[in-house]
Amino acid sequence: FKTLTLPHLKDKLNKAFEDHDFKCEILDIHSAKGDFLQSIDVAIAVSGTMGFELSLANVPHCIIYKMNPLTWYLVKNVIRVNHAHLTNIILDKCSDEKGKTYTSVRIPEFIQSGCTSDDIAQCMNYLIGCDSAFNDQLHVFDQLKKILKNDDGVTAAKRMAKIVIKRLGK
């Protein structure tokens, strides 16, 4: 399989995989991301930015976050959003042209105690083996792109920033 990482972690990951029976190609995120995103079917992301990029590239996925318990305690008491994934944050309170409000989590999030290998594996098997789950995420990505559509000269990045800032209550 292939995986992306930051340049400073590439050698460390190559060493970690060299003693295993399977081949893992470690790619530098800065030089290979565009081609990589076009070549994968499903993914697991550990970054909100990467998860958002997967959404825009139409790659069904889940996100995982597990941090130091003290950091988690501080984060959950400061952050004012209900989700970790930018796609879920944006879809949480946005409406389409018919006024439908998206309120449920669309991209699975495995956070802290909910971030278990069994649950993540089950999610990936479901995305790979269930056409409706796979297609449901593709539909979510279409909804996201409609919200971010550039009709008025505002870039998708600026539109997303405005949505996130509004959700943060600032």
Side-chain angles (χ1 to χ4, degrees), residues 14 22 31 57 141:
N14 274 323
F22 59 90
S31 63
F141 305 149

Side-chain angles (χ1 to χ4, degrees), residues 25-54:
E25 184 179 357
I26 311 294
L27 304 171
D28 177 325
I29 195 167
H30 296 299
S31 63
K33 185 170 27 176
D35 292 336
F36 182 79
L37 291 177
Q38 298 305 313
S39 71
I40 56 178
D41 297 317
V42 296
I44 300 170
V46 295
S47 157
T49 303
M50 189 72 239
F52 189 68
E53 290 180 88
L54 288 166

Side-chain angles (χ1 to χ4, degrees), residues 4-5 12 19 33 36 41-44 48 54 56 65 73 75 77 83 91-92 97 120 139 142 155-156 168:
L4 283 178
T5 192
K12 185 176 182 177
D19 292 334
K33 185 170 27 176
F36 182 79
D41 297 317
V42 296
I44 300 170
L54 288 166
L56 295 177
Y65 290 100
Y73 175 80
V75 166
N77 286 302
H83 311 297
L91 293 177
D92 188 39
E97 61 279 356
I120 296 164
H139 178 69
D142 287 342
T155 66
L168 291 172

Side-chain angles (χ1 to χ4, degrees), residues 18-107:
E18 67 187 18
D19 292 334
H20 294 280
D21 293 336
F22 59 90
K23 178 71 177 151
C24 180
E25 184 179 357
I26 311 294
L27 304 171
D28 177 325
I29 195 167
H30 296 299
S31 63
K33 185 170 27 176
D35 292 336
F36 182 79
L37 291 177
Q38 298 305 313
S39 71
I40 56 178
D41 297 317
V42 296
I44 300 170
V46 295
S47 157
T49 303
M50 189 72 239
F52 189 68
E53 290 180 88
L54 288 166
S55 294
L56 295 177
N58 291 325
V59 179
H61 61 283
C62 70
I63 61 164
I64 61 174
Y65 290 100
K66 198 163 196 174
M67 60 186 80
N68 176 289
L70 178 58
T71 305
W72 173 246
Y73 175 80
L74 295 172
V75 166
K76 76 176 188 170
N77 286 302
V78 172
I79 300 296
R80 295 181 191 171
V81 292
N82 296 324
H83 311 297
H85 196 299
L86 289 171
T87 297
N88 291 335
I89 291 169
I90 292 168
L91 293 177
D92 188 39
K93 294 294 180 184
C94 292
S95 299
D96 66 13
E97 61 279 356
K98 296 177 184 153
K100 178 181 176 186
T101 300
Y102 308 107
T103 57
S104 62
V105 174
R106 305 300 182 163
I107 308 302

